[in-house]
Amino acid sequence: MISTKGRYAIRVMIDLAENKDKGLIPLKDISERQDISKKYLEIIVKSLVTANMVDSTSGKGGGYRLNRDPENYTIGEIIETAEGPLAPVACLADKSYKCKRKGKCKTLPMWQEYNDLIHDFFYSKKLSDLL
């Protein structure tokens, strides 16, 4: 299940895309438009900045902005930046995960197929598709 963190990250990115011609967007403006607490948005936006998906400037006149065009962001990368891997099971989420049943697991092909569906769906959707 995708939590509020992932859903709100998408809403933040949509807001920044819709307001990209206004320069740097203060977090309080996003908070008011999206009806999300500023405190929670600080956590979400920090992960987007760390992942180099948005630029930030602090101080008077500061705020946030996209550093790419909306068509150059996938919904999958936004969700995974906020949430972590979309994989349904640990052995697919973490490549270094050592599962002692990997060679004989009867369910792994099913989980892999499901993982591929999720990945392909969210990575085929662009931020620009939601504008």
Side-chain angles (χ1 to χ4, degrees):
M1 178 164 69
I2 297 170
S3 74
T4 56
K5 219 175 188 183
R7 295 191 328 261
Y8 290 178
I10 295 168
R11 286 171 52 187
V12 166
M13 296 295 282
I14 290 170
D15 193 286
L16 290 173
E18 289 176 335
N19 293 285
K20 67 180 179 169
D21 296 335
K22 297 178 182 171
L24 293 166
I25 309 297
L27 201 56
K28 70 176 183 59
D29 292 356
I30 299 170
S31 173
E32 290 169 8
R33 282 191 294 266
Q34 297 300 320
D35 195 26
I36 303 170
S37 89
K38 187 176 172 221
K39 204 78 162 151
Y40 195 33
L41 283 181
E42 288 171 355
I43 296 165
I44 293 166
V45 172
K46 182 179 180 188
S47 67
L48 297 171
V49 170
T50 300
N52 197 31
M53 294 178 70
V54 299
D55 294 328
S56 70
T57 303
S58 55
K60 187 175 170 128
Y64 300 89
R65 70 172 161 229
L66 299 180
N67 56 27
R68 298 183 242 160
D69 291 327
E71 59 271 7
N72 293 322
Y73 292 94
T74 66
I75 298 305
E77 83 175 302
I78 296 168
I79 293 171
E80 288 194 329
T81 295
E83 298 265 345
L86 287 167
V89 290
C91 58
L92 295 175
D94 179 2
K95 300 298 182 209
S96 66
Y97 182 81
K98 303 288 185 223
C99 178
K100 62 184 178 187
R101 296 190 42 81
K102 187 174 184 177
K104 59 185 175 184
C105 180
K106 301 283 187 197
T107 62
L108 183 58
M110 175 189 66
W111 294 125
Q112 183 64 59
E113 183 179 358
Y114 180 61
N115 185 61
D116 293 345
L117 288 169
I118 294 168
H119 181 275
D120 292 350
F121 176 80
F122 285 117
Y123 277 84
S124 72
K125 304 291 182 202
K126 305 285 185 189
L127 181 61
S128 57
D129 296 334
L130 302 180
L131 299 178

